[in-house]
Amino acid sequence: MATKAKTATTTPAKTAAKAVAAKATTGMKLLVGTKAIEDALMSIHRRGQTLQADIHVAACSVLQHLGQHSDIRIVAKLLNAMPEMGRKNAMRDWFVEYGPVMFDGDQPVFMQGGKVRLGDAMANPFWKFSPEKPYEAIDVAALIASTIKKLQKDEKEAKANHGSLIAGLEKLIPAAPTTH
């Protein structure tokens, strides 16, 4: 007797059940429906713009305070207050450019005799001063070729034997560049 194959279908009830299961395991309540998601995205945009402006005002205020009082501790406090998703390295670069600030590891250091360029800093927020770099896809062929070259150099200089590894890597070189 032949049995009918079951096809997987996703119904609103199944989606809701998965959302309930996800909330039970992660504590996160998922958004359901296009309207709820779009409303959340609009809210995120608005709150993000406000937070971004607040951080810029705070950073400029820190620069002004630094110029008046040479109090470098406030720079560290601002950086520590930044959300994890914040671009702290861009802000660090911004402080170095516009204030008497250098960094020793993660610690800001006051540079005696340095100047605060508050007007320039106010006109150039940290996220625009040091824009995030766009993603660059890996050139697989070039990566493999570079690794092979290093292995060949290691063979000559260290008298190592990487022949089988090099042969295996050569087989992995794509025939044509791949794009995503």
Side-chain angles (χ1 to χ4, degrees), residues 12-128:
K14 286 182 182 178
T15 302
K18 287 179 184 177
V20 169
K23 182 179 180 192
T25 59
T26 65
M28 181 185 306
K29 182 181 177 189
L30 299 177
L31 303 170
V32 178
T34 304
K35 172 128 176 56
I37 294 169
E38 288 175 350
D39 288 350
L41 296 176
M42 285 176 40
S43 173
I44 289 167
H45 179 74
R46 274 192 314 273
R47 289 180 293 139
Q49 296 299 311
T50 300
L51 180 60
Q52 190 167 268
D54 289 349
I55 291 171
H56 184 59
V57 168
C60 291
S61 300
V62 165
L63 268 180
Q64 181 180 37
H65 179 83
L66 184 61
Q68 293 171 344
H69 305 287
S70 305
D71 182 7
I72 197 71
R73 297 172 301 160
I74 200 82
V75 173
K77 287 180 181 180
L78 174 59
L79 287 167
N80 288 334
M82 291 282 291
E84 284 184 41
M85 68 177 192
R87 297 188 51 231
K88 290 183 184 183
N89 288 334
M91 181 175 281
R92 288 167 51 123
D93 292 346
W94 183 88
F95 272 115
V96 168
E97 178 70 19
Y98 296 118
V101 179
M102 292 301 291
F103 283 86
D104 182 10
D106 287 338
Q107 294 303 311
V109 177
F110 181 75
M111 301 305 293
Q112 193 67 36
K115 302 288 182 207
V116 172
R117 296 176 32 225
L118 188 57
D120 292 338
M122 291 172 73
N124 194 9
F126 73 92
W127 62 90
K128 290 184 178 177

